[in-house]
Amino acid sequence: MPIAFTNAMGTGLSLLMIDKLGRRYMMLRFLPFVALGMFMIATGMYIEYYTDVTPATIGQFVAFSGVLFFVLMFSSGNATPAWAINAEIFPIHLIGTASALATASGGLADFIVTSFFLIMLETDAGKVYSFCILGCNCLLAWLFIYFLVPETANKSIQENIK
């Protein structure tokens, strides 16, 4: 329940900010915090499996706090803007096909990441490293957005496809 509530709260926040701040702006500002959430989860897993900290629930608390922080930051600054940009960067005559291909590519990427993620979680080291890798991927996504993704807010589709 707390994760679903956090996701709904972040999505509502995103809807309030997306046109005022801009899609690219939001993603660039929130992605470092999304990465921080991943590193918090990795830290919690490390505490849980590799330290003698008592009580052991400290690691669980840090990991769960990281999950909530990740969900809040991702739903606030990355989920909604990514879908908005997807709908705004394609020419009108290609938008249906291009959006379908983008969605299918996302689904395929989700399948691949989920498959490897489940395998990695089978070991204690994998429980730590998998979240570190995901956090680093967030930082790489930041670079991708910074250098390659245009701001589409408050522009017509004709302006965006230039």
Side-chain angles (χ1 to χ4, degrees):
M1 249 346 230
I3 295 172
F5 176 74
T6 302
N7 187 37
M9 196 170 65
T11 302
L13 192 64
S14 179
L15 293 173
L16 295 173
M17 297 185 304
I18 193 166
D19 285 327
K20 293 176 187 159
L21 298 178
R23 291 96 167 100
R24 182 177 183 272
Y25 180 90
M26 285 177 61
M27 290 191 294
L28 289 174
R29 297 310 177 274
F30 280 86
L31 257 175
F33 295 107
V34 172
L36 179 61
M38 287 292 149
F39 294 130
M40 286 173 64
I41 298 168
T43 301
M45 295 292 185
Y46 180 83
I47 293 169
E48 180 72 19
Y49 295 104
Y50 289 102
T51 66
D52 295 328
V53 174
T54 39
T57 56
I58 291 174
Q60 295 169 4
F61 176 79
V62 171
F64 188 67
S65 297
V67 168
L68 291 178
F69 187 72
F70 162 79
V71 168
L72 180 64
M73 294 297 108
F74 183 80
S75 62
S76 296
N78 294 91
T80 306
W83 286 105
I85 287 175
N86 188 42
E88 296 170 343
I89 61 171
F90 301 120
I92 296 292
H93 67 284
L94 294 176
I95 198 163
T97 303
S99 292
L101 284 172
T103 302
S105 299
L108 178 62
D110 287 344
F111 172 76
I112 292 167
V113 169
T114 303
S115 298
F116 282 104
F117 183 75
L118 292 173
I119 293 166
M120 290 181 71
L121 290 182
E122 292 176 359
T123 67
D124 291 346
K127 291 173 185 169
V128 176
Y129 292 135
S130 59
F131 291 102
C132 289
I133 291 167
L134 291 172
C136 290
N137 282 341
C138 291
L139 300 176
L140 291 174
W142 188 94
L143 291 171
F144 177 84
I145 292 165
Y146 183 81
F147 288 109
L148 297 173
V149 176
E151 180 57 74
T152 61
N154 303 314
K155 294 181 182 176
S156 69
I157 290 178
Q158 306 309 338
E159 293 173 297
N160 286 331
I161 61 173
K162 288 182 183 179

